[in-house]
Amino acid sequence: MSSPMYTFVSRDDNSTVYAEVSKILLSTGKWRKLKRDNPRFNLMLGERNRLPFGRLGHEPGLVQLVNYYRGADKLCRKASMVKLIKTSPELSDSSNWFPESYIIYPTNLNTPVAPAKNGINHLKSNPKTDEREVFLASYHAKKESGEGTVWIAKSSAGAKGAGIFISHDANQLVEYIDNQGQVHVIQKYLEKPLLLEPGHRKFDIRIWVLVDHQYNIYLYREGVLRTSSEPYNSSDLQDMTSHLTNHCIQKEQSQNYGRYEEGNEMFFDEFRLYLLNTHNVALETAILPQIKQIIKSCLTCIEPTISTKHLSYQSFQLFGFDFMLDENLKVWLIEINGAPACAQKLYPELCQGIVDVAISSVFTLNSSSDCSSSSPYSSSPSSSFITNSCSSPKLRGPLHVGPFTRL
C-alpha cells in the first residue's frame, strides 16, 4: 500500500461521529493521524466550541479543512436562531414553519427590554434584547382569542431536555427564567401535534444535513423519529415523558421506554408505511418537501456570513435539524444542532458519506481525477481549493453521493 498522502488531527474525544470518520480515514491508507497540537495538518476534526479559526490556513502551501463553519452557531443556539429567523428578510415566511418565539433575559442581567409594540425594531437594532413585554402582549392576545395558552421555555444553551418548563401561565414562565439566571427562549407550544398510534404518543423528526466546503447542501437519505413512551396529555404539563421526546428523559423517567419502538426510534421505512396506512399520505410528497424548503431557507440565509469559499482555509459541517408535525401534517422547525449525534445503526453509512461528500471532494483518494491536482500542497494557500476542487466561484456538487442528495 502506498504511503499516506494526507494528514489529520482529531481534537474532540467526545464526538462519536468523528471517531468513526477517523477510523474510515485511517482505513484508506491515504491518511495519517498527527498529534492533536501539530499545526501541519490537512484536516482538523475539531471540538465545536474550541476551534482555532484564526490560526487556520496560515501554514505555507498547505490545504486545510475543518469540520465546522465559523458563525454557524447563529442557527444552532436557540436565542441566536430566534433572532436570526425573526430579523432576516429572507425568512419572512417563517411564521409558516417556526413557532412564535421570544428571547427572554433574566432581570438580573439588566438587558434592555423591548416595548410591547414595535419590539422587532428593538431586536434588530440592539445586540441583546429582552422580549418579555412583547411576549406578554402576545400571550394575552392569544388567550383572549382562544388560540391556546400553552408555551414552553427553553434554555438557549440547554440540551438533552435540561432547562425546560411548560406552562399555561405567562407569569410563571417569566418567573422561571428569572430564577434560572440565563437567557431562555419562550416558544408557542404545539398543542395539537400529530400523534403516533398505538399509544397516542408525541414524536419529533431528526434530519441530518451536510454542508460541504463549496456550501452545497446535502440531505441524508435516512431520518429518525424520536418517540415518547407515554400518551400525550395536554392537561398535565408537568409530565415530561408525555411532552418531551429526548432520549435521556424517556430512558431515565419512563417505565415504558422501548415498549413501542426499540430505543424509542422509528426510521423512515417504518414511518412511510405508517403514514400511508394511517393517514393515506406519502412521506415523499406530504412531508419531505416542507422539510427540504425549511432546511434550504435557513442555511442559505447565513451563507453570506459564514461561507469559507474565499478564505485561506475551508469548512464543512454536519447539522441535525429537528422537526415536529401538527395534526394537519404541517412541518414545524423546532431547533438545529450543530454537532449532532447519530442513531447507532446509521453510523457506518452516515460517516462514510461525510468522508465521500465533504472530505474526499477536497482531498481526492484516487490516482486518476478530473481535477488538475490531488496534492495536499499548493504554492498559494488562497488558490489551493480552486485547484483541488476544480472550482468555479460556486461549484455545484454532484446530485447524489452515496446516501446524500444535494438540495
Side-chain angles (χ1 to χ4, degrees):
M1 184 177 286
S2 59
S3 60
M5 298 168 61
Y6 309 116
T7 57
F8 75 96
V9 294
S10 180
R11 293 190 175 183
D12 188 351
D13 298 329
N14 298 315
S15 171
T16 48
V17 168
Y18 288 109
E20 182 71 20
V21 167
S22 295
K23 290 178 188 175
I24 293 171
L25 292 175
L26 291 171
S27 72
T28 66
K30 301 292 187 181
W31 285 88
R32 179 165 57 93
K33 187 175 181 179
L34 304 176
K35 290 183 179 179
R36 58 187 293 145
D37 294 325
N38 191 325
R40 296 289 297 168
F41 57 82
N42 294 119
L43 170 67
M44 174 183 281
L45 302 177
E47 191 175 1
R48 177 184 170 195
N49 295 319
R50 301 179 64 184
L51 285 164
F53 287 109
R55 297 204 300 272
L56 296 177
H58 298 302
E59 292 294 318
L62 194 64
V63 174
Q64 291 193 318
L65 178 70
V66 64
N67 61 326
Y68 290 98
Y69 272 95
R70 188 176 197 172
D73 274 356
K74 290 174 184 171
L75 276 180
C76 303
R77 293 193 182 279
K78 297 179 185 70
S80 301
M81 180 174 76
V82 168
K83 181 169 183 174
L84 180 78
I85 288 177
K86 290 172 70 170
T87 59
S88 298
E90 307 95 318
L91 302 179
S92 57
D93 66 336
S94 62
S95 60
N96 294 320
W97 47 263
F98 187 64
E100 185 177 338
S101 304
Y102 299 97
I103 304 166
I104 312 291
Y105 285 85
T107 49
N108 67 327
L109 296 182
N110 297 316
T111 308
V113 178
K117 292 184 178 181
N118 298 320
I120 193 68
N121 292 328
H122 196 281
L123 186 65
K124 287 178 180 178
S125 56
N126 288 275
K128 293 181 179 180
T129 296
D130 182 351
E131 295 187 287
R132 66 182 60 213
E133 295 299 329
V134 193
F135 158 64
L136 290 169
S138 177
Y139 170 88
H140 291 299
K142 279 184 164 48
K143 187 175 182 179
E144 288 177 14
S145 63
E147 291 181 60
T149 59
V150 183
W151 294 73
I152 181 169
K154 301 187 281 190
S155 169
S156 183
K160 300 181 179 178
I164 289 180
F165 181 63
I166 308 170
S167 178
H168 285 283
D169 189 319
N171 292 323
Q172 271 188 5
L173 287 157
V174 172
E175 185 179 328
Y176 168 81
I177 295 171
D178 286 339
N179 291 334
Q180 294 299 301
Q182 57 183 323
V183 61
H184 279 59
V185 163
I186 287 185
Q187 193 169 72
K188 186 68 189 70
Y189 192 62
L190 204 60
E191 296 186 46
K192 295 181 179 180
L194 185 69
L195 299 174
L196 285 176
E197 304 297 347
H200 208 60
R201 298 168 295 124
K202 279 187 69 172
F203 65 93
D204 68 6
I205 302 173
R206 161 61 60 86
I207 301 282
W208 291 275
V209 180
L210 182 61
V211 180
D212 73 4
H213 71 289
Q214 284 280 344
Y215 219 86
N216 291 297
I217 302 168
Y218 285 90
L219 185 73
Y220 181 53
R221 68 170 185 86
E222 185 64 272
V224 63
L225 276 63
R226 297 174 300 187
T227 64
S228 170
S229 313
E230 305 293 339
Y232 175 62
N233 183 357
S234 57
S235 61
D236 182 2
L237 300 179
Q238 306 313 308
D239 181 4
M240 291 294 104
T241 59
S242 167
H243 294 276
L244 302 180
T245 58
N246 308 66
H247 281 320
C248 51
I249 287 177
Q250 293 295 323
K251 193 171 186 177
E252 292 170 9
Q253 299 182 26
S254 172
Q255 294 181 343
N256 288 320
Y257 179 77
R259 174 183 174 185
Y260 298 98
E261 297 87 24
E262 183 180 353
N264 281 35
E265 292 179 328
M266 178 188 289
F267 294 90
F268 268 7
D269 282 348
E270 187 177 351
F271 189 44
R272 281 187 184 91
L273 289 174
Y274 179 83
L275 286 174
L276 277 172
N277 295 334
T278 309
H279 298 283
N280 196 31
V281 297
L283 176 66
E284 271 69 22
T285 56
I287 310 299
L288 286 182
Q290 297 181 68
I291 284 175
K292 291 176 182 178
Q293 185 56 51
I294 295 169
I295 289 170
K296 196 167 184 178
S297 294
C298 289
L299 288 171
T300 303
C301 175
I302 62 169
E303 178 180 2
T305 58
I306 73 168
S307 172
T308 56
K309 287 200 296 285
H310 304 295
L311 299 182
S312 57
Y313 73 91
Q314 300 288 275
S315 293
F316 70 91
Q317 188 162 344
L318 181 71
F319 296 89
F321 279 71
D322 295 338
F323 298 96
M324 286 185 64
L325 303 180
D326 66 22
E327 61 182 7
N328 297 317
L329 300 177
K330 190 174 178 61
V331 173
W332 295 90
L333 174 66
I334 302 303
E335 58 189 57
I336 302 170
N337 192 310
C342 172
Q344 196 64 41
K345 77 172 191 176
L346 301 180
Y347 273 106
E349 182 184 72
L350 177 73
C351 294
Q352 182 64 58
I354 291 173
V355 172
D356 294 342
V357 171
I359 300 174
S360 295
S361 61
V362 178
F363 305 106
T364 55
L365 296 181
N366 55 332
S367 55
S368 61
S369 169
D370 292 335
C371 294
S372 58
S373 169
S374 62
S375 168
Y377 299 99
S378 168
S379 58
S380 167
S382 62
S383 66
S384 59
F385 286 89
I386 296 175
T387 302
N388 220 38
S389 306
C390 309
S391 79
S392 56
K394 166 103 180 190
L395 177 70
R396 287 175 67 82
L399 185 59
H400 300 286
V401 181
F404 283 95
T405 300
R406 176 170 49 79
L407 294 184

